[in-house]
């Protein structure tokens, strides 16, 4: 189920042109989620569009969207899907928070393999 949820969320990010998409395998690294999807967008509107698409596609496919945080400011929106957490940053914020470095011990997942 997680693989399908991950693929659904990843495809939603791609469909809305999320940039520099990174998927971290958080299993054994964090209790928060099994995978993180991290991406950025060039405007607040695009950040919101990506987060909304992720939530909509997850719901359409029968997954529960636990919560969405940050939509008002749209500088860093977190979409919590349970096993998968999607982080959508505004381009200006991504480098500052640098989640890839913060969770540097988490292996990268290559989503191209699943296609």
């Amino acid at each position: 189920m997680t693989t399908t949820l991950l693929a659904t969320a990843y495809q939603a990010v791609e469909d809305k042109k999320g940039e520099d998409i990174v998927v971290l395998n958080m299993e054994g690294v964090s209790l928060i989620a099994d995978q993180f999807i991290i991406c950025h967008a060039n405007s607040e509107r695009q950040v919101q569009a990506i987060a909304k698409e992720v939530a909509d596609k997850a719901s359409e496919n029968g997954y529960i969207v636990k919560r969405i945080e940050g939509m008002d400011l749209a500088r860093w929106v977190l979409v919590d899907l349970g096993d998968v957490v999607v982080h959508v940053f505004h381009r200006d914020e991504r480098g500052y928070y640098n989640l890839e470095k913060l969770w540097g011990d988490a292996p990268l997942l290559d989503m191209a393999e699943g296609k």
Side-chain angles (χ1 to χ4, degrees):
M1 186 168 174
T2 300
T3 303
T4 305
L5 174 58
L6 178 63
T8 299
Y10 185 87
Q11 188 61 52
V13 171
E14 271 197 334
D15 289 349
K16 288 298 178 181
K17 309 291 188 236
E19 295 189 24
D20 194 16
I21 306 168
V22 173
V23 180
L24 299 178
N25 184 356
M26 303 301 289
E27 294 180 66
V29 177
S30 171
L31 299 175
I32 297 169
D34 290 341
Q35 289 91 25
F36 279 178
I37 299 175
I38 304 167
C39 70
H40 70 262
N42 294 314
S43 68
E44 287 88 353
R45 184 172 287 183
Q46 187 185 11
V47 168
Q48 291 169 332
I50 293 168
K52 185 178 182 323
E53 184 76 0
V54 168
D56 290 349
K57 292 299 180 189
S59 293
E60 286 171 19
N61 285 282
Y63 298 106
I64 296 171
V65 179
K66 293 190 172 196
R67 69 178 178 254
I68 300 174
E69 297 180 15
M71 283 293 270
D72 291 342
L73 294 177
R75 302 302 287 181
W76 175 6
V77 177
L78 182 143
V79 183
D80 184 351
L81 304 172
D83 291 339
V84 176
V85 175
V86 181
H87 300 269
V88 186
F89 286 97
H90 187 284
R91 175 185 292 281
D92 298 341
E93 305 296 326
R94 185 168 183 178
Y96 178 78
Y97 290 102
N98 201 354
L99 292 187
E100 294 94 322
K101 185 175 181 185
L102 178 66
W103 296 103
D105 48 345
L108 295 174
L109 292 176
D110 183 0
M111 293 303 291
E113 292 175 1
K115 292 186 177 183

